[in-house]
Amino acid sequence: PRVSGPCIMAGFEQKAIPSSLGSRVAILVTGPKALLDSLPDKCRSQPKSVSGVIYGIGHARMEIVAEGQAAALEHLVGDLDEALESVEGAMSRVVWQPPTGGYEDHFPLVVLQPKMKATITLEGDEQTLDYYQRHMRIEAVFNRGLKVECKRLEWLTVTVTGDSTRIKSFIRWCQRGPPLQRADRIQVKWANS
């Protein structure tokens, strides 16, 4: 069975998201280990126009976040639904969201541990990166309780350490950007702390 929910955006969010990014879907899958072990290969077999990340979140659950054109993402959702149909007790929840960009086409598998580290590289014009840097400490330290280190060259590199679910939330904030600002490109590298 699959549960799907609508995506609701306010006016500023709609303006801040370029339509050229396509669509984004988050799929939470619950099922036995054998099923979850097969999902990364299903994601990686999608066309290069689909990119994303796979989070192993424990308790027999996995979250797949993918972006691309809507038709390609519908195909991915269909492939995953087909894989789940024959497995007893397997479920998925599908949520369509505004795209954010910054995912890799080889769908890296990130097995979330309680404490982790992520290095986030943001590229964009100087004004945008200055704006990010000013708001970043508030978002990372005060709102999420993370340890943060910033390094600024031609781009902005941020290393955050702390609770993995809070880091994941912070990465989503970086992808969406502070109000009325968005980085041109974002790359994320996860590591155990």
Side-chain angles (χ1 to χ4, degrees), residues 111 125 164 191:
V111 179
D125 63 56
S164 59

Side-chain angles (χ1 to χ4, degrees), residues 33-120:
K33 183 177 179 348
L35 169 69
L36 298 180
D37 289 345
S38 72
L39 297 182
D41 288 336
K42 288 206 176 296
C43 294
R44 293 176 184 135
S45 69
Q46 299 301 309
K48 292 286 185 198
S49 62
V50 175
S51 60
V53 64
I54 304 165
Y55 293 108
I57 51 180
H59 307 293
R61 296 180 304 154
M62 185 173 277
E63 181 183 18
I64 301 162
V65 180
E67 290 190 359
Q69 296 305 312
L73 295 178
E74 285 286 352
H75 185 265
L76 171 64
V77 170
D79 283 354
L80 295 175
D81 281 346
E82 188 176 301
L84 271 66
E85 282 178 5
S86 61
V87 179
E88 188 172 328
M91 308 181 48
S92 71
R93 187 179 80 195
V94 176
V95 179
W96 292 89
Q97 303 168 335
T100 59
Y103 293 110
E104 300 176 36
D105 60 6
H106 65 277
F107 281 91
L109 174 60
V110 178
V111 179
L112 296 178
Q113 303 298 320
K115 297 287 182 191
M116 293 189 76
K117 179 193 299 191
T119 301
I120 307 158

Side-chain angles (χ1 to χ4, degrees), residues 110-118 144-147 160-167 190-193:
V110 178
V111 179
L112 296 178
Q113 303 298 320
K115 297 287 182 191
M116 293 189 76
K117 179 193 299 191
R144 293 176 177 85
L146 301 171
K147 180 181 175 191
V160 290
T161 307
D163 180 86
S164 59
T165 56
R166 291 178 181 200
I167 292 174
W190 285 85
N192 292 329
S193 63

